[in-house]
């Protein structure tokens, strides 16, 4: 991968902000547009940009593929696990109220945050992995 | 191009766009032999569904379904949720389709459906 | 725009066009108050899909083989579908009409109850994660399936003589290949 | 815990699928899948009992009552299909271990089982859900995993077949979504029962009719109804043998179930069947499927392709029952869903065994294997006889009820067509038997044996089922008849 100075500098500036924005979109999903899926897509875009500019080696050092691959099922497990936890707490599946029967709203908040986190993990990891897989196939 | 006159026109314009997109997408899928083009046609076909769902949910003078004290009319949130899901399903299908195309290209050296079936017949 | 997609032969041009198409679609969706959807379409349609298409093009050919320009069968099929849809949407309420049936069943519940039951202003998030949270679980599973599928398809040994990715030894008996 | 069964039998395979993707170890994943399918089968049987005792079970996902949230709804027909799917998944899974070891690359086997579980989960999810859009989501889970499972076939044509299926399957699913969208615009709800109630006053409006048309066409693509069957033969023929046995026994059945659900529960028997041209169209198409499928099957050299075309024909029998507008006809259809899954499952499993031992599934290579693989070919003959409809087998039971339905419909000619189409079955099944038993093995060919015992055992389990349920019809026929009564009776 050739090293263009402008690309390097711009991307170094851009990527942290992309990740930060992704984090904002994730956490702000309750109030404004956004949520786990969009945040995952944006964060993945940041990693893809990083890969394109700094090369695959550097990217794999920053985001180890093994961990990312493990994240794909992990996100689903988090989501499904929330449901199972609700079951164990005496609610129906994905009934977040069960987290905190005295304050259902709090329970809902907790449930939604956890679930969105699960979505984020799966989406982010899947998109990065798909990109890596395509890139690696090219060699 | 087809959406230039959109904002000013009220009526069934949304449905005309939907219909046009569905027809175009379906035409591309059936008529074109190139697999990548088929997949793009497929996503156009799926996009048309987004409009079909979202447009009836809109209320003139309403706003996005994010509660705020200044508004009391909101567009219907349910179609938005459904279409978010549909978009995700669409991109998942696209990713899987593309990886199949890559494998097909390796196996046959071509991504034209016609050539592949000719190859199979031998 | 869409017509150009039908016409263009160079697949690279096609990808750029479809990206632009997604952006227009996203704008359109936001114009219809679907901010969440618009945002996703911009991120996914214009972003992710374009990257995916480009990486696939990188691995395949970029020119479409010449073929017939017009396919009557396809056109008839498209026309029939379009006609059915026009028939189906003919009697529907006009665009933006607040009296349509979809505004009077189920949806008002979400709009009215979300502040009480969820305590959050974004109704879309509330519906997505809680009222219809199970759909979202399914959606996450779809993504997971696709990710796993891409890995399974592209990580195996290459059939064109390339090396297997992991230590898996190449199978020597290809007796099944004949089937 | 009992009240959570509906969601558990979907969620357990899902979680197990994710765990398989993490574990990647072949042995661990195999056992996990095995345990999961057994648990789900037990759960499905328990639910059938619950439904028979206490009526329909409704489960509110997330605690939100039906029109607001997503509902899981288990009635007789649902439980019946859940049993079928989990039974087939378990049997094919035990059967397929050796085949997977031969056909799938070593480092992919753990993931293969994960995919298998996801496909299983998706199919069960479609059946159990009472929500129109949720059905679409799970349809995509099952379809995407099915595309992958098919593409793993060793023949490169598996890739092209999978791509073709992906295109046609996605068009079908999108059409289904368009139809659901139209109904949603008309009614404002996505819950199937609620849709049925609210559609009642709108049924004659264009939107409802167009919605019905889109749903029927979309599902017909998925279930490979005759002119839309193009994806099926290649997909079945080139997929790994274990995959073929599973999807042939379950995948199209699930779409058929969904179609029945729409025709009878959502649109209602009185409207969909009695006052639209749907039954006439389905009747013509089904008969075309019965003959075209069987006829093309006669000329196939690849046995898997032959059986695939035979599936196209058998799907025609099932949809034929829908169009007969009678309880007997519908009973015949529902019973044939189960019966055909057993027969075709058994046949594909035996063919998988032949492929393993012989290394080929071409008819011309099969000369004389009847004596060297006695158990395989004997099973083939019995399952084939069942396809034909010989009395004492399940095939006879379904055809008998279809014929009764046709008589009630007042159409002798349909009965005649049923008999004639059975002769076509005799033609293609007979060809295999003739080649396998009455032609000599080519000189110098290596001696063959029956496939490993576990594979034979599983196939013979289904064959025994073909005979057992052909004689003692309490479970299949009884449940199907009750379900048919419920479908037609509860129609609004």
């Amino acid at each position: 991968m050739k090293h263009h100075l402008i690309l390097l500098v711009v991307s170094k500036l851009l990527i942290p902000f992309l990740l930060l924005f992704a984090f904002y979109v994730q956490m702000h999903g309750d109030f404004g547009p956004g949520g786990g899926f969009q945040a995952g897509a944006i964060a993945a875009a940041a990693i893809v940009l990083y890969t394109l500019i700094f090369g695959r080696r550097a990217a794999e050092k920053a985001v180890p593929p093994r961990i990312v691959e493990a994240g794909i099922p992990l996100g689903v497990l988090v989501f499904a696990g929330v449901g199972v936890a609700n079951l164990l707490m005496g609610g129906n599946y994905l009934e977040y109220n069960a987290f905190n029967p005295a304050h259902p709203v709090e329970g809902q908040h907790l449930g939604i945050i956890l679930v969105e986190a699960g979505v984020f993990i799966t989406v982010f990891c899947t998109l990065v992995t798909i990109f890596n897989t395509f890139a690696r196939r090219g060699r | 191009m087809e959406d230039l006159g959109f904002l000013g026109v009220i009526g069934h314009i949304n449905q005309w766009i939907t219909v046009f997109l569905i027809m175009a997408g379906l035409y591309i899928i059936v008529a074109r032999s190139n697999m990548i083009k088929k997949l793009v046609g497929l996503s156009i076909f799926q996009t048309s569904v987004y409009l079909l769902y979202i447009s009836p949910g809109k209320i003139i003078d309403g706003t996005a379904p994010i509660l705020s004290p200044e508004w009391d009319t909101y567009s219907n949130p349910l179609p938005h949720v459904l279409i978010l899901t549909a978009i995700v399903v669409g991109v998942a299908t696209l990713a899987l389709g593309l990886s199949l195309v890559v494998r097909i290209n390796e196996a046959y050296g071509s991504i034209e459906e016609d050539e592949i079936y000719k190859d199979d017949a031998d | 725009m869409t017509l150009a997609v039908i016409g263009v032969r160079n697949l690279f041009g096609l990808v750029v066009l479809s990206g632009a198409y997604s952006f227009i679609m996203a704008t359109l969706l936001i114009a219809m108050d679907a901010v969440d959807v618009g945002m996703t379409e911009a991120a996914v349609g214009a972003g992710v899909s374009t990257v995916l298409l480009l990486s696939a093009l990188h691995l395949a050919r970029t020119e479409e083989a010449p073929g017939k320009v017009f396919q009557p069968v396809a056109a008839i099929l498209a026309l029939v579908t379009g006609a059915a849809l026009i028939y189906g949407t003919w009697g529907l309420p006009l665009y933006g009409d607040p009296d349509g049936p979809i505004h009077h069943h189920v949806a008002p519940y979400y709009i009215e109850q979300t502040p009480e039951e969820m305590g959050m202003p974004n109704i879309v998030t509330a519906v997505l994660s809680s009222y219809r949270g199970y759909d979202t679980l399914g959606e996450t599973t779809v993504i997971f399936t696709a990710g796993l599928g891409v890995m399974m398809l592209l990580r195996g040994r290459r059939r064109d003589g390339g090396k297997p990715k992991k230590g898996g030894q190449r199978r020597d008996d290809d007796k099944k290949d004949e089937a | 815990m009992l009240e959570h069964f509906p969601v558990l039998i979907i969620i357990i395979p899902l979680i197990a699928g994710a765990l398989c993707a993490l574990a990647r170890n072949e042995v661990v994943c195999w056992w996990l899948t095995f345990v999961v399918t057994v648990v789900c089968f037990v759960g499905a049987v328990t639910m059938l009992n619950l439904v028979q005792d206490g009526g329909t079970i409704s489960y509110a996902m997330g605690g939100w009552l039906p029109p607001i949230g997503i509902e899981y709804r288990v009635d007789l027909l649902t439980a019946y299909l859940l049993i079928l799917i989990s039974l087939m998944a378990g049997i094919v899974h035990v059967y397929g271990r050796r085949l997977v070891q031969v056909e799938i690359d070593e480092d992919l086997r753990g993931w293969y089982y994960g995919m298998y579980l996801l496909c299983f989960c998706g199919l069960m999810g479609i059946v159990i859900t009472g929500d129109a859009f949720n059905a679409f989501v799970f349809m995509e889970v099952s379809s995407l995993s099915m595309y992958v499972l098919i593409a793993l076939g060793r023949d490169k044509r598996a890739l092209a077949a999978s791509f073709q299926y992906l295109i046609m399957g996605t068009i079908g699913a999108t059409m289904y979504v368009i139809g659901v969208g139209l109904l949603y615009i008309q009614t404002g709800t996505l819950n199937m029962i609620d849709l049925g109630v609210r559609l009642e006053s709108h049924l004659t409006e264009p939107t409802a009719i167009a919605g019905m048309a889109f749903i029927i066409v979309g599902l017909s693509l998925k279930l490979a109804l005759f002119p839309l069957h193009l994806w099926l033969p290649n997909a079945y023929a080139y997929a790994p043998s274990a995959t073929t046995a599973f999807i042939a026994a379950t995948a199209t059945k699930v779409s058929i179930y969904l179609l029945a659900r729409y025709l009878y529960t959502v649109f209602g028997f009185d409207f969909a069947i009695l006052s639209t041209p749907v039954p006439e169209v389905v009747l013509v198409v089904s008969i075309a499927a019965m003959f075209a499928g069987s006829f093309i099957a006669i000329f196939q050299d690849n046995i898997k392709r032959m059986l695939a075309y035979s599936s196209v024909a058998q799907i025609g029998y099932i949809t034929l029952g829908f169009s007969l507008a009678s309880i007997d006809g519908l009973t015949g259809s529902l019973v044939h869903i189960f019966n055909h899954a057993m027969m075709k499952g058994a046949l594909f499993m035996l063919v998988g065994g032949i492929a393993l031992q012989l290394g080929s599934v071409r008819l011309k290579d099969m000369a004389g294997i009847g004596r060297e693989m006695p158990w395989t070919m004997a099973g083939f003959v019995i399952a084939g006889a069942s396809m034909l409809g010989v009395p004492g087998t399940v095939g006879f039971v379904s055809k008998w009820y279809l014929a009764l339905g046709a008589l009630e419909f007042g159409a002798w000619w349909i009965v005649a067509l049923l008999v004639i189409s059975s002769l076509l079955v005799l033609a293609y099944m007979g060809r295999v038997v003739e080649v396998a038993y009455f032609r000599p093995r080519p000189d110098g060919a290596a001696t063959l044996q029956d496939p490993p015992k576990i594979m034979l055992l599983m196939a013979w389990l289904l064959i025994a089922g073909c005979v057992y349920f052909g004689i003692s019809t309490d479970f299949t026929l009884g449940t199907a008849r009750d379900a048919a009564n419920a479908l037609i009776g509860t129609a609004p």
Side-chain angles (χ1 to χ4, degrees), chain A:
Chain A
M1 198 58 62
K2 273 173 267 170
H3 288 259
H4 289 285
L5 188 63
I6 300 178
L7 277 181
L8 282 177
V9 173
V10 171
S11 61
K12 269 205 168 138
L13 281 174
L14 205 57
I15 288 169
F17 280 104
L18 269 175
L19 288 173
L20 197 64
F21 180 62
F23 191 64
Y24 166 78
V25 169
Q26 168 83 22
M27 287 307 168
H28 201 64
D30 299 0
F31 305 98
F37 186 76
Q38 293 91 331
I42 294 169
I47 302 299
V48 168
L49 188 63
Y50 189 81
T51 315
L52 286 176
I53 290 169
F54 294 93
R56 231 184 53 221
R57 293 275 151 64
E60 283 179 358
K61 216 175 278 171
V63 197
R66 290 196 73 85
I67 296 183
V68 176
E69 276 169 32
I72 302 177
L74 208 64
V76 176
L77 286 179
V78 168
F79 201 141
V82 169
V84 174
N86 296 141
L87 278 185
L88 295 178
M89 292 173 176
N92 269 4
Y93 195 74
L94 291 179
E95 186 172 2
Y96 311 136
N97 289 356
F99 277 129
N100 197 343
H103 300 280
V105 175
E106 300 291 312
Q108 289 289 344
H109 271 265
L110 180 63
I112 289 176
I113 286 175
L114 286 175
V115 158
E116 293 275 2
V119 175
F120 174 84
I121 296 172
T122 294
V123 170
F124 170 76
C125 295
T126 306
L127 293 179
V128 171
T129 305
I130 290 178
F131 179 77
N132 279 341
T133 312
F134 273 101
R136 208 174 296 165
R137 195 72 173 183
R139 305 285 131 122

Side-chain angles (χ1 to χ4, degrees), chain C residues 90-152:
Chain C
W90 200 256
L92 289 181
L94 296 181
Y95 172 70
D97 185 357
D99 294 330
I102 63 169
H103 297 302
H104 294 285
H105 187 56
V106 179
Y109 178 91
Y110 295 139
I111 295 175
E112 283 154 22
Q113 298 297 313
T114 296
E116 247 172 75
E117 291 175 347
M118 309 281 165
M120 58 173 58
N122 188 347
I123 309 172
V124 174
T125 305
V127 178
L128 187 80
S129 325
S130 189
Y131 292 117
R132 291 186 72 86
Y134 196 70
D135 263 355
T136 312
L137 176 59
E139 168 201 317
T140 316
T141 314
V142 170
I143 293 273
F144 163 54
T145 313
L148 191 61
V150 171
M151 288 200 286
M152 285 174 80

Side-chain angles (χ1 to χ4, degrees), chain D residues 31-305:
Chain D
W31 279 104
L32 189 61
T33 312
F34 175 69
V35 171
V36 165
T37 47
V38 171
V39 167
C40 288
F41 177 67
V42 173
V45 172
T46 318
M47 268 193 313
L48 182 72
N49 284 332
L50 286 179
V51 171
Q52 276 169 340
D53 293 343
T56 307
I57 304 172
S58 166
Y59 186 85
M61 207 59 74
W64 306 111
L65 291 175
I68 303 299
I70 291 168
E71 181 194 19
Y72 264 12
R73 206 176 165 78
V74 188
D75 61 9
L76 266 182
L77 182 57
T78 313
Y80 176 68
L81 263 124
L82 290 178
I83 290 178
L84 170 68
I85 298 168
S86 48
L87 177 70
M88 294 308 300
I91 288 182
V92 173
H93 176 64
V94 174
Y95 153 86
R97 187 173 191 176
R98 179 86 182 87
L99 280 174
V100 169
Q101 282 168 351
V102 172
E103 294 185 346
I104 311 291
D105 291 343
E106 192 182 4
D107 53 343
L108 293 181
R109 283 176 208 153
W111 281 347
Y112 174 89
Y113 290 121
M115 247 343 161
Y116 186 82
L117 279 172
L118 286 173
C119 185
F120 173 55
C121 158
L123 293 172
M124 301 270 278
I126 301 173
V127 172
I128 203 173
T129 190
D131 189 277
F133 198 81
N134 196 244
F136 163 71
V137 174
F138 277 89
M139 199 190 280
E140 286 301 317
V141 173
S142 67
S143 316
L144 286 183
S145 44
M146 229 180 296
Y147 307 146
V148 177
L149 290 177
I150 291 169
L152 288 173
R154 297 206 77 80
D155 194 301
K156 67 176 180 180
R157 275 169 286 188
L159 296 168
S162 171
F163 186 82
Q164 193 184 22
Y165 185 21
L166 183 135
I167 294 288
M168 295 190 79
T170 311
I171 295 178
T174 310
M175 289 221 168
Y176 171 77
V177 175
I178 293 175
V180 170
L182 289 173
L183 298 184
Y184 170 66
I185 296 169
Q186 183 90 72
T187 59
T189 183
L190 288 165
N191 183 280
M192 287 184 189
I193 302 293
D194 202 25
L195 262 177
V197 173
R198 300 188 137 250
L199 267 177
E200 219 172 325
S201 52
H202 294 291
L203 279 176
T204 49
E205 286 174 25
T207 310
I209 294 174
M212 179 162 86
F214 271 104
I215 288 177
I216 291 177
V217 173
L219 289 177
S220 303
L221 258 170
K222 282 265 171 201
L223 66 83
L225 196 53
F226 166 59
L228 307 172
H229 68 280
L230 294 169
W231 58 266
L232 188 140
N234 281 335
Y236 283 15
Y238 302 121
S241 297
T243 306
T244 309
F246 180 57
I247 60 177
T250 54
T252 50
K253 311 291 177 297
V254 167
S255 302
I256 291 172
Y257 159 84
L258 204 55
L259 184 65
R261 196 41 93 200
Y262 272 94
L263 287 181
Y264 291 96
T265 307
V266 175
F267 296 106
F269 177 73
D270 292 333
F271 174 72
I273 304 296
L274 296 184
S275 46
T276 62
V278 170
E280 284 81 3
V281 174
V282 173
L283 181 68
V284 171
V285 170
S286 308
I287 290 174
M290 279 155 46
F291 280 87
S294 299
F295 199 68
I296 301 172
I298 297 178
F299 299 100
Q300 297 303 315
D301 183 45
N302 180 328
I303 302 282
K304 276 170 104 177
R305 260 181 98 85

Side-chain angles (χ1 to χ4, degrees), chain B residues 42-110:
Chain B
L42 202 61
S43 28
I44 291 178
F45 186 52
Q46 290 175 322
T47 332
S48 65
V49 182
Y50 309 167
L51 284 184
L52 180 79
Y53 271 71
I54 301 276
S55 61
K58 161 83 178 164
I59 300 180
I60 298 274
D61 292 338
T63 184
I66 296 173
L67 298 171
S68 74
E70 296 123 61
W71 295 87
D72 56 357
T73 316
Y74 300 98
S75 290
N76 191 336
L78 184 51
H80 299 184
V81 174
L82 304 182
I83 291 314
L84 276 176
T85 308
I87 291 179
V88 174
V89 169
V91 73
T93 314
L94 180 71
L96 203 59
L98 284 174
S99 54
L100 275 176
V101 170
V102 169
R103 283 287 302 274
I104 287 172
N105 189 47
E106 286 172 5
Y108 291 84
S110 163

